[in-house]
Amino acid sequence: MPVKIKLQKFVDKLPIPKTISPVKRDKKGSYYEVTMREFTQKLHRDLGPTRLWGYNGMYPGPTFDVTKGETTFVKWMNDLPTKHFLPIDTTIHGAGRSLPEVRTVVHLHGGKQPAHSDGYPEAWFTRNYEQTGPLFEREVFEYPNLEATTLWYHDHTMGITRLNMYAGLSGFFIIRDKLEQSLNLPTGKYEVPLLIQDRSFNPDGSLYYPSSPDEKNSRLPYPSIVTPFDADTILVNGKVWPYMEVEPRKYRFRILNASNSRAITIKLDSGQSLYQIGTDRGLLEKPVKMNEILLLTTERADVIVDFSGSFGQSIVLKNVFKGASPETTDVMQFRVIVPLKGKDTSSLPDHLTKIEFLSRNMASRTRDLTLVRVADEYGRSLNLLDGKMWIDRISEKIELGTVEIWRLINLSVDDHPIHLHIVDMQILERQPFDVAHFQATGELKFTGPAAPPEPNERGFKDTIRAPAGYVTSFIASFGPLTGRFVWHCHMLEHEDYEMMRPFEILKKKNTLKDILMRKIYPSRFQ
């Protein structure tokens, strides 16, 4: 266990990640180069420099600020050491001793990009591309930027995502469009990205990450994965419990929970409202007045806060999640002490956008998929999607453009944040059921009424909360691209240890030739 370090809160100013500029821009799009490097950075006034890995040697990485419809090309380069400084469990899939310790691949989370640029976990590469994974295809990734929203990019390497991200590999990727610009929302220095993560530290300032869930259990391999891991200190934009000096006016905050596993519920201790204008996949139809906002790991909330009546006050952004420890109940502080530099002419519109929702009658199929917890050969917790391991045959193959309903039947004891790559999900309902009855009979016996999504979830999402003991139903149109992608729990310790599965979006087979081929060679289309 880490030694508890007493750090004073709200002594470091909130940093704003730098915006990256393209190397070149032409009619094809904008081209960037990003290098992953090891470096040290002070994360708190009273901590020594912390060893980190970051995109372009920064933590968080630089922010991409791009325009809808303009393709972004990024050459992701690995200049990291050959040895990892965090504990690797070589018994889990994709992290065996035969593989290089340090491998990386980048996923643009929530983006709709071709499979070759999606950051498939087995498309990893090492320093200078000396070794590559079995599904590695290219050095330069292509992002079409199809929709305006708040995305983020992070490592997605098979078996060590939790370690690479804990080391610092994450950053914002913001896509804008003319509609958003027309809404007169707070902009410039009044629009602030907040990347929230938890970390634990050793007394010298180095990162602490556990090497085993139980150091005294000699049956366990060493190092051994911990599922999950909640650290004891909160950071925002790479600073421990920072403060931000603000004017008495409206601000827009793009808030991301980028913790490995921790859930947070944000709330202002002043009691004032948070006006949520957007979620993972962009703007909501209208602002939703919220007292507090629950964010499982990787969920985003686009929020307007009005400090106009708070001049002279210090307001703390709290984490009031039921499982928060005393150390993790504070997130950051806003000091409303900067005199207003000019009249606040920004708006909080009554209407934001029009969302074309999917209807149940559009779905061609409903899939029931379980979320289960079992024990592995060492007695450790093993979480699975529909009872399957990563290496099992692909069971979700869907034709391009097909609309399906998925019912996530959570038999485990955790609320899982379920993420599908490139697919927008619309939550339909959540309904409690009798877990023991289902385990005994395989039949769903509901114990209460179905509840619609929360008002601030009534848009499209790329990650949805699937509570323990509930059936969470969502509808989605599978596309807009074909290829092999993945779906998984975004608690990184779960994702790394088998709670991830591939799925495939197939080209439509609707010609006469295709129909005949299906009849003659049905096994080819299974």
Side-chain angles (χ1 to χ4, degrees):
M1 292 294 293
V3 177
K4 289 284 186 181
I5 306 172
K6 277 286 189 181
L7 296 173
Q8 190 173 343
K9 296 179 180 179
F10 317 134
V11 298
D12 290 296
K13 191 173 183 178
L14 175 78
I16 308 299
K18 293 180 180 178
T19 300
I20 189 171
S21 298
V23 174
K24 66 177 182 179
R25 177 178 277 122
D26 56 29
K27 62 181 181 181
K28 292 182 180 179
S30 300
Y31 171 75
Y32 299 77
E33 292 184 348
V34 177
T35 303
M36 292 162 258
R37 299 190 183 98
E38 182 173 285
F39 61 102
T40 61
Q41 184 172 312
K42 279 186 71 67
L43 306 182
H44 185 276
R45 181 192 66 185
D46 300 327
L47 279 177
T50 301
R51 181 185 189 183
L52 299 165
W53 291 354
Y55 297 106
N56 280 357
M58 298 166 53
Y59 167 61
T63 297
F64 287 80
D65 197 319
V66 303
T67 303
K68 176 183 174 180
E70 181 183 11
T71 302
T72 297
F73 297 92
V74 186
K75 184 174 184 180
W76 302 103
M77 294 173 283
N78 182 339
D79 193 31
L80 295 168
T82 56
K83 295 293 183 182
H84 217 297
F85 69 96
L86 295 174
I88 297 175
D89 181 348
T90 57
T91 67
I92 66 176
H93 75 253
R97 296 185 186 278
S98 62
L99 295 169
E101 274 193 23
V102 177
R103 299 161 284 120
T104 57
V105 65
V106 182
H107 171 53
L108 177 56
H109 182 110
K112 296 183 177 181
Q113 51 270 340
H116 57 62
S117 298
D118 190 52
Y120 197 79
E122 293 177 322
W124 52 262
F125 54 95
T126 63
R127 189 170 185 167
N128 299 322
Y129 309 104
E130 290 172 358
Q131 292 177 269
T132 58
L135 272 75
F136 177 86
E137 291 189 55
R138 56 176 61 193
E139 296 177 6
V140 178
F141 280 26
E142 176 183 344
Y143 304 115
N145 301 329
L146 298 178
E147 294 158 337
T149 188
T150 305
L151 306 181
W152 66 298
Y153 62 99
H154 60 80
D155 187 79
H156 208 271
T157 308
M158 179 70 77
I160 54 172
T161 294
R162 70 196 185 284
L163 306 178
N164 288 353
M165 275 190 57
Y166 196 80
L169 292 172
S170 58
F172 274 104
F173 193 108
I174 297 171
I175 307 174
R176 304 184 186 275
D177 67 2
K178 291 180 179 179
L179 169 63
E180 179 191 327
Q181 293 168 356
S182 72
L183 294 173
N184 194 34
L185 301 169
T187 61
K189 64 181 179 180
Y190 306 112
E191 179 193 339
V192 182
L194 300 177
L195 187 146
I196 302 172
Q197 295 179 309
D198 59 345
R199 296 288 183 269
S200 291
F201 298 98
N202 296 307
D204 63 357
S206 60
L207 291 175
Y208 169 82
Y209 190 92
S211 296
S212 174
D214 184 357
E215 301 274 355
K216 298 177 181 179
N217 187 348
S218 60
R219 289 185 58 224
L220 297 179
Y222 191 86
S224 180
I225 192 167
V226 177
T227 57
F229 173 57
D230 286 348
D232 59 16
T233 308
I234 300 293
L235 294 83
V236 186
N237 293 353
K239 281 291 183 184
V240 174
W241 296 307
Y243 70 88
M244 179 184 180
E245 296 178 348
V246 298
E247 299 174 34
R249 54 157 293 152
K250 292 188 289 297
Y251 280 75
R252 179 184 184 183
F253 296 105
R254 296 177 183 258
I255 303 172
L256 159 66
N257 179 5
S259 303
N260 273 31
S261 292
R262 176 179 296 280
I264 60 174
T265 301
I266 56 172
K267 182 178 183 177
L268 295 169
D269 73 348
S270 59
Q272 67 195 89
S273 299
L274 303 159
Y275 292 90
Q276 187 166 344
I277 62 171
T279 184
D280 307 343
R281 295 299 310 145
L283 294 172
L284 295 163
E285 288 198 316
K286 59 184 180 180
V288 180
K289 185 178 180 180
M290 302 289 292
N291 183 46
E292 57 188 46
I293 299 172
L294 170 62
L295 296 173
L296 298 197
T297 179
T298 202
E299 289 190 291
R300 280 93 71 205
D302 199 342
V303 172
I304 303 290
V305 177
D306 190 350
F307 296 110
S308 60
S310 306
F311 191 70
Q313 296 182 29
S314 291
I315 299 170
V316 176
L317 182 66
K318 306 286 288 188
N319 171 24
V320 297
F321 185 73
K322 59 185 178 182
S325 63
E327 297 87 356
T328 57
T329 55
D330 291 330
V331 178
M332 65 174 292
Q333 182 189 61
F334 298 106
R335 299 176 182 173
V336 194
I337 59 174
V338 181
L340 194 63
K341 290 188 167 53
K343 184 179 180 181
D344 180 7
T345 58
S346 65
S347 303
L348 178 60
D350 293 330
H351 178 78
L352 297 164
T353 190
K354 174 64 178 174
I355 297 176
E356 299 295 333
F357 290 104
L358 302 172
S359 60
R360 291 176 184 269
N361 60 12
M362 298 170 66
S364 61
R365 176 173 179 174
T366 297
R367 295 179 190 256
D368 283 354
L369 300 159
T370 58
L371 313 179
V372 300
R373 172 183 285 187
V374 296
D376 71 3
E377 59 190 298
Y378 304 104
R380 300 178 299 187
S381 171
L382 174 61
N383 295 274
L384 301 173
L385 299 173
D386 211 33
K388 298 181 177 67
M389 308 283 276
W390 171 259
I391 61 170
D392 289 336
R393 183 178 178 181
I394 298 177
S395 48
E396 285 70 53
K397 295 186 177 184
I398 306 124
E399 281 195 356
L400 178 66
T402 300
V403 176
E404 292 193 353
I405 293 172
W406 286 21
R407 299 201 302 175
L408 304 175
I409 304 169
N410 192 347
L411 305 169
S412 77
V413 296
D414 290 314
D415 295 0
H416 295 284
I418 299 298
H419 172 48
L420 270 68
H421 284 212
I422 86 157
V423 174
D424 291 344
M425 298 178 284
Q426 173 194 333
I427 301 170
L428 295 175
E429 61 191 18
R430 298 182 177 98
Q431 189 167 10
F433 71 103
D434 186 327
V435 172
H437 181 79
F438 184 89
Q439 290 172 327
T441 67
E443 296 176 351
L444 281 171
K445 180 181 178 182
F446 292 108
T447 56
E454 299 295 330
N456 66 325
E457 295 180 309
R458 292 176 188 175
F460 282 101
K461 300 266 294 166
D462 59 49
T463 306
I464 62 173
R465 174 174 51 91
Y470 280 75
V471 176
T472 300
S473 300
F474 70 84
I475 189 170
S477 176
F478 284 78
L481 301 161
T482 60
R484 184 182 296 184
F485 303 95
V486 294
W487 69 288
H488 56 88
C489 173
H490 219 286
M491 295 169 75
L492 300 183
E493 283 75 14
H494 289 178
E495 170 188 339
D496 268 348
Y497 192 30
E498 296 294 350
M499 203 169 188
M500 178 164 61
R501 289 281 297 150
F503 72 92
E504 204 163 355
I505 301 177
L506 307 169
K507 292 180 181 178
K508 287 188 176 181
K509 302 289 185 180
N510 53 10
T511 66
L512 178 59
K513 179 181 178 181
D514 291 325
I515 293 170
L516 291 172
M517 291 291 285
R518 282 178 184 273
K519 290 183 176 180
I520 298 170
Y521 304 108
S523 62
R524 294 185 184 179
F525 298 90
Q526 296 298 312

